[in-house]
Amino acid sequence: MKISGRDAISILANLESIVRLQKKDNTDKFWSYKMLSGSHAKFAFDPKTKTKLVVRFDQNPPRIHGVGKVEDIRGKNMSTALNRVFSGRGHVAKYRAEIESEECLLAVLNALK
């Protein structure tokens, strides 16, 4: 089953012991989250999407089933909203990937912790 940004918000709200909401862009274009242990990875997505979940990561996303269309976005022109939700230094958007389902999102979180 496909997952949307709205679905991801609900899922992540129930996982506060492993991931927390880091920052919301003032235009509500992107929300960023931070892993609380392990890699301490940060990732962001548009919370308003209805048909798919496209996530930007500060590190290479795990290569697992359901993570598709992985793209290295370093050096590409990025939205200012995306720059506002990442803290800088090592935590900048470097990769973009589509997450196909809730199960895939949970597997990604498990791989990052």
Side-chain angles (χ1 to χ4, degrees), residues 27-61:
T27 63
D28 215 24
K29 176 77 174 147
F30 284 102
W31 289 14
S32 66
Y33 289 81
K34 182 177 181 179
M35 298 299 298
L36 298 178
S37 63
S39 66
H40 294 284
K42 289 187 181 179
F43 57 93
F45 58 88
D46 182 344
K48 295 181 271 183
T49 62
K50 297 177 185 174
T51 59
K52 63 183 175 179
L53 180 62
V54 179
V55 180
R56 277 65 169 192
F57 293 91
D58 67 349
Q59 60 184 263
N60 206 348

Side-chain angles (χ1 to χ4, degrees), residues 6-109:
R6 293 176 181 192
D7 297 331
I9 290 169
S10 298
I11 294 163
L12 295 171
N14 293 319
L15 299 172
E16 293 177 337
S17 63
I18 62 169
V19 65
R20 75 165 186 242
L21 177 62
Q22 184 75 25
K23 191 170 187 180
K24 295 180 184 181
D25 172 56
N26 58 356
T27 63
D28 215 24
K29 176 77 174 147
F30 284 102
W31 289 14
S32 66
Y33 289 81
K34 182 177 181 179
M35 298 299 298
L36 298 178
S37 63
S39 66
H40 294 284
K42 289 187 181 179
F43 57 93
F45 58 88
D46 182 344
K48 295 181 271 183
T49 62
K50 297 177 185 174
T51 59
K52 63 183 175 179
L53 180 62
V54 179
V55 180
R56 277 65 169 192
F57 293 91
D58 67 349
Q59 60 184 263
N60 206 348
R63 301 289 181 170
I64 56 177
H65 179 71
V67 177
K69 298 184 181 178
V70 176
E71 179 184 355
D72 186 337
I73 58 173
R74 292 176 286 189
K76 294 191 177 180
N77 190 12
M78 285 189 256
S79 116
T80 55
L82 188 58
N83 289 330
R84 286 190 293 267
V85 296
F86 278 92
S87 61
R89 291 182 227 112
H91 297 291
V92 295
K94 297 175 185 168
Y95 296 92
R96 175 189 183 278
E98 284 190 28
I99 307 297
E100 78 173 25
S101 66
E102 177 178 349
E103 294 77 22
C104 179
L105 176 61
L106 294 173
V108 167
L109 295 176

